[in-house]
Amino acid sequence: MKFVLFYLPTVGTRKQIESGMLPGQNTQAYQSMLYQISEQVKAADQLGYYAAAFTEHHFHIEGLEVSNNPIMLSLYLGMQTKNIKLAQLANVLPFHNPIRLAEDIAMLDQMTNGRAIAGIARGYQKRWADVLGQVYGVGATFSDKTETDARNRTLFNEHYEIIRKAWASETFSHKGEIWNIPPENLKFDHSAVGDYGRGMDAAGYIKEIGIAPKLYQNRDIEVWQPFSHSADTWRFCAKEKIVPFMLNTDDTAMQKLISAYQDEAVKVGREIASGDGIGVFRDVLVANSDERAHELAADGNGFVWPHWFGELGFNEALRREGETGKIKGDFKDLCDRGFEFIGTPDTVNRKIEQLVKKHNPEYLLMWQYPGLVPHEDMMRHIEMFATQVMPNWTDSKETSASALSYTP
């Protein structure tokens, strides 16, 4: 299993957020967050974690998800580390210029010597998606088959196709519903292009374009996608060799998504075991006692989920098969429904054991809360998980050895 630290990241303490001080706009609070995630990811790098990942959301003056550019955060941490991979969960494709995004990820990959993981998503938060999506005539979606949802998916699919072309070929062209690359009758007629470049015909018209730089060593980059409940999305991921991550906690719902992925993978010639190529997302926190872990987590996801994510529709990920009615989504509910992997190393090992026995995911994405959980407790958690949990679920001798040699 591969273990990934996932940061929103949160800016400010619970007291600062609840006071209405808008810690997302407070320089001291933001600098404190940068310091904390730097120290935590540097420790994770030494301890053998697979990756650190950051989300994309905008306008979070409240301090709950101050991560408007996950590529920049990835580069910031990449410059301070040596081995850990840096991921975006995710770049929200319908609201990006796809060529610029392909270039930016390629730059990140070059600057980190091939440690970038590309993340893609469709966008669900209306406050920012409907503002930034105006130029493309698109907004947030909940995969509800509406006209807005269809427009969002069209842009997502076409932007993804363009990005893949940009990475795969020296030069490329594209004609789609939204984009025409290059536009018709683009005359550049520059001798240097003809002498040293590609894509211009003898009459000086640009027929193809290419991005520079390419991905590091022109590699096939790993692509991840969070956090869909849709079997259609999971089939798309299987076909495209994308790693999807699920929030779902109900075993039946989880297995349906995993089966959809595996069945589609077989159809396109990918012979994989159940659970290969997929990830599960959980709130994970290790402490010296179960009581201490619950106390800390109550101020982390136990505070953020019911005040933010539950009202954004994430409670549906907690729904049991056949269950009707409103989901509470409070901290006790999160624990009872299996989203909280918190406690002593022994407790968390047993939770992972059950997850592996039932679903055997290749990746475990672990929610982290700088600011809300004190930094010293976060550092202790990261070390304890790496030394007392992680070695039980990885075959990597390198990971085990690095965990044992960690020095703070």
Side-chain angles (χ1 to χ4, degrees):
M1 185 180 286
K2 300 180 178 75
F3 297 95
V4 183
L5 301 180
F6 178 57
Y7 290 88
L8 300 174
T10 307
V11 172
T13 65
R14 178 169 179 173
K15 183 177 180 180
Q16 289 171 331
I17 293 171
E18 290 181 326
S19 72
M21 70 168 279
L22 303 182
Q25 295 182 332
N26 182 279
T27 292
Q28 184 177 358
Y30 191 81
Q31 289 295 318
S32 178
M33 178 275 291
L34 290 177
Y35 169 78
Q36 291 183 41
I37 63 170
S38 294
E39 294 302 304
Q40 291 165 26
V41 174
K42 284 190 291 185
D45 184 40
Q46 292 186 52
L47 288 162
Y49 285 81
Y50 184 73
F54 308 93
T55 188
E56 180 193 355
H57 291 300
H58 303 267
F59 313 150
H60 277 253
I61 59 177
E62 302 87 359
L64 295 172
E65 294 185 273
V66 186
S67 183
N68 47 299
N69 193 323
I71 294 175
M72 288 188 70
L73 277 173
S74 292
L75 180 59
Y76 178 73
L77 274 302
M79 294 297 95
Q80 302 178 62
T81 54
K82 295 181 179 180
N83 300 302
I84 195 168
K85 297 179 184 295
L86 294 314
Q88 313 94 49
L89 282 173
N91 301 294
V92 185
L93 254 58
F95 311 103
H96 282 275
N97 180 307
I99 298 175
R100 289 291 301 272
L101 187 57
E103 292 174 332
D104 288 349
I105 294 174
M107 288 178 68
L108 171 65
D109 202 42
Q110 289 283 350
M111 292 174 182
T112 58
N113 293 332
R115 288 189 285 142
I117 295 171
I120 59 174
R122 293 182 60 203
Y124 69 93
Q125 288 192 18
K126 289 180 66 66
R127 178 173 61 172
W128 74 262
D130 288 18
V131 172
L132 298 188
Q134 294 177 77
V135 66
Y136 294 126
V138 69
T141 181
F142 284 95
S143 299
D144 53 8
K145 310 298 184 183
T146 62
E147 184 178 339
T148 298
D149 175 53
R151 174 69 175 178
N152 182 292
R153 185 174 290 280
T154 295
L155 273 163
F156 174 87
N157 289 339
E158 188 164 343
H159 285 189
Y160 175 75
E161 182 181 352
I162 291 167
I163 290 168
R164 279 296 198 187
K165 286 182 177 180
W167 287 338
S169 307
E170 282 187 348
T171 62
F172 72 97
S173 63
H174 174 86
K175 295 186 185 300
E177 183 176 337
I178 312 299
W179 289 89
N180 192 14
I181 303 171
E184 298 289 341
N185 300 315
L186 174 58
K187 191 164 189 177
F188 193 49
D189 201 16
H190 193 52
S191 58
V193 176
D195 293 341
Y196 313 120
R198 301 282 190 282
M200 186 175 73
D201 68 14
Y205 288 93
I206 300 298
K207 299 299 182 181
E208 292 189 336
I209 57 99
I211 66 166
K214 300 290 286 181
L215 294 168
Y216 183 72
Q217 297 183 341
N218 206 26
R219 70 191 185 95
D220 186 15
I221 193 170
E222 196 170 352
V223 180
W224 291 356
Q225 183 169 352
F227 293 114
S228 180
H229 316 304
S230 165
D232 287 343
T233 296
W234 279 63
R235 283 188 283 266
F236 165 80
C237 287
K239 184 174 64 176
E240 296 293 329
K241 296 184 180 179
I242 295 169
V243 177
F245 287 82
M246 70 172 75
L247 283 90
N248 303 70
T249 57
D250 179 75
D251 288 327
T252 302
M254 292 173 68
Q255 196 54 52
K256 283 182 177 180
L257 292 176
I258 293 170
S259 295
Y261 184 90
Q262 188 176 18
D263 292 347
E264 188 67 26
V266 170
K267 288 180 183 178
V268 297
R270 295 177 61 200
E271 296 295 332
I272 60 173
S274 180
D276 285 357
I278 67 103
V280 169
F281 180 32
R282 294 292 182 263
D283 187 35
V284 181
L285 199 152
V286 174
N288 289 322
S289 69
D290 288 347
E291 292 76 17
R292 179 58 175 163
H294 278 75
E295 178 185 345
L296 293 169
D299 279 337
N301 192 46
F303 168 64
V304 175
W305 185 290
H307 287 89
W308 186 253
F309 292 108
E311 293 187 18
L312 289 171
F314 277 36
N315 280 347
E316 285 303 307
L318 307 175
R319 188 175 296 280
R320 299 184 177 107
E321 189 76 7
E323 182 179 14
T324 60
K326 186 177 181 179
I327 305 295
K328 283 185 178 180
D330 58 14
F331 184 53
K332 183 180 184 302
D333 206 25
L334 289 164
C335 293
D336 291 344
R337 291 173 183 270
F339 190 75
E340 301 296 313
F341 279 30
I342 56 178
T344 64
D346 181 60
T347 297
V348 174
N349 269 311
R350 284 188 277 110
K351 290 180 180 292
I352 294 175
E353 181 180 20
Q354 290 301 310
L355 177 67
V356 170
K357 283 181 177 178
K358 293 177 180 178
H359 306 296
N360 197 31
E362 184 173 349
Y363 301 83
L364 180 62
L365 183 67
M366 305 161 55
W367 217 334
Q368 308 299 298
Y369 284 99
L372 294 176
V373 176
H375 178 56
E376 59 271 20
D377 291 296
M378 289 290 297
M379 292 292 286
R380 191 176 301 112
H381 145 69
I382 288 169
E383 181 182 359
M384 289 176 68
F385 187 91
T387 56
Q388 299 181 53
V389 179
M390 218 156 66
N392 296 319
W393 309 107
T394 175
D395 294 328
S396 171
K397 294 180 182 178
E398 181 180 350
T399 296
S400 299
S402 63
L404 293 173
S405 65
Y406 166 67
T407 53

